[in-house]
Amino acid sequence: LGEALECFLSQAGFSVVLVSALKVARFKEALGADANDLQDAEAIARLVMVQPDLARSATRVLLEGDPDGSHHLRLRRLSRRYERWMKDHTAACNELHAVLRMAWLADYQRFFSHVDGVAALAFWQQYPTPAEASQAEPQTIAELLKRSSRGRIGRDASNQKAVDVHSTARLMVLALGGKNPHRWSSWAQEIVLLARHLVHLNDNLHRLREQIE
């Protein structure tokens, strides 16, 4: 559809610019725009205005410069692989949400806005359930969050988040762990495995995005 639409608009006299869909998606996330046609169009327009170097030659010109289609075929393979891995990523995130909901009830959503963020995945691998988090010192948790976030979570924010996590974990252990102290054991292993799998997927998706670009 993209190539056909570009050729149609060019023949109709419009000046067409091709922009990477990945660049647009990241720019749209920064704007915090909703998912609708008008917001999509505005995100594309703003992106091209502030980063004109992202403009690409017309598809027709690109195809003429690649007569055997090798670049086109490689991009198609990479794009299809990216789509498959993104489906795996979404499925793993959904599965992790389901297990965390059982282990942490709804409280885990207060700690991390993105369950697959680098700090969140580092935390889930180290402290998958309230049983492990309640045994750790808040300062140890804070250091893990600050280090794993690569500077995105500051010292004050990491300290506050660590205190919140630790106090929530202790309350859950006191309230739910008395009757069944081993209630979290099976969930812990599952959460760790899912978090490791998502780390692997995130790394591969990052490298694949670079190849696509």
Side-chain angles (χ1 to χ4, degrees):
L1 176 63
E3 292 179 10
L5 180 60
E6 188 276 328
C7 291
F8 174 81
L9 292 174
S10 294
Q11 292 172 4
F14 290 93
S15 178
V16 179
V17 172
L18 300 185
V19 179
S20 164
L22 294 175
K23 293 282 188 181
V24 175
R26 285 197 285 266
F27 191 81
K28 186 177 176 183
E29 289 177 0
L31 291 176
D34 296 327
N36 59 59
D37 291 344
L38 182 60
Q39 296 288 3
D40 288 345
E42 182 177 348
I44 294 171
R46 289 181 179 273
L47 176 65
V48 176
M49 288 171 63
V50 300
Q51 294 183 288
D53 58 302
L54 294 177
R56 297 291 184 260
S57 302
T59 303
R60 183 172 58 257
V61 177
L62 291 175
L63 293 177
E64 290 173 355
D66 184 26
D68 60 354
S70 59
H71 299 319
H72 182 78
L73 291 175
R74 181 166 183 264
L75 180 58
R76 177 177 293 176
R77 286 196 300 270
L78 291 173
S79 298
R80 288 176 176 174
R81 190 180 308 156
Y82 182 83
E83 184 178 354
R84 289 197 305 271
W85 289 359
M86 277 302 300
K87 289 180 179 178
D88 291 343
H89 183 274
T90 300
C93 280
N94 291 339
E95 193 173 353
L96 181 58
H97 272 297
V99 184
L100 288 173
R101 197 173 294 115
M102 290 186 290
W104 289 88
L105 304 180
D107 291 306
Y108 78 96
Q109 294 177 307
R110 293 191 295 107
F111 308 147
F112 304 104
S113 56
H114 297 286
V115 72
D116 63 327
V118 290
L121 292 178
F123 178 83
W124 301 133
Q125 291 180 82
Q126 192 71 30
Y127 309 108
T129 73
E132 292 80 24
S134 65
Q135 298 297 319
E137 294 294 332
Q139 186 59 38
T140 304
I141 298 175
E143 291 173 358
L144 172 67
L145 296 175
K146 186 174 183 298
R147 181 177 65 256
S148 60
S149 70
R150 302 164 189 169
R152 295 178 182 177
I153 302 179
R155 183 177 299 278
D156 292 340
S158 61
N159 288 338
Q160 182 58 50
K161 192 182 293 291
V163 170
D164 188 17
V165 170
H166 184 260
S167 61
T168 299
R170 290 196 63 187
L171 287 173
M172 292 185 70
V173 169
L174 289 173
L176 303 173
K179 296 181 180 180
N180 183 11
H182 302 293
R183 63 175 281 132
W184 292 284
S185 57
S186 61
W187 293 331
Q189 184 178 8
E190 194 171 355
I191 290 170
V192 170
L193 290 175
L194 284 168
R196 289 176 180 172
H197 181 52
L198 279 166
V199 169
H200 177 69
L201 283 173
N202 284 343
D203 291 341
N204 285 340
L205 284 168
H206 176 72
R207 286 192 290 269
L208 192 54
R209 280 194 293 266
E210 290 181 339
Q211 294 182 53
I212 291 174
E213 293 291 351

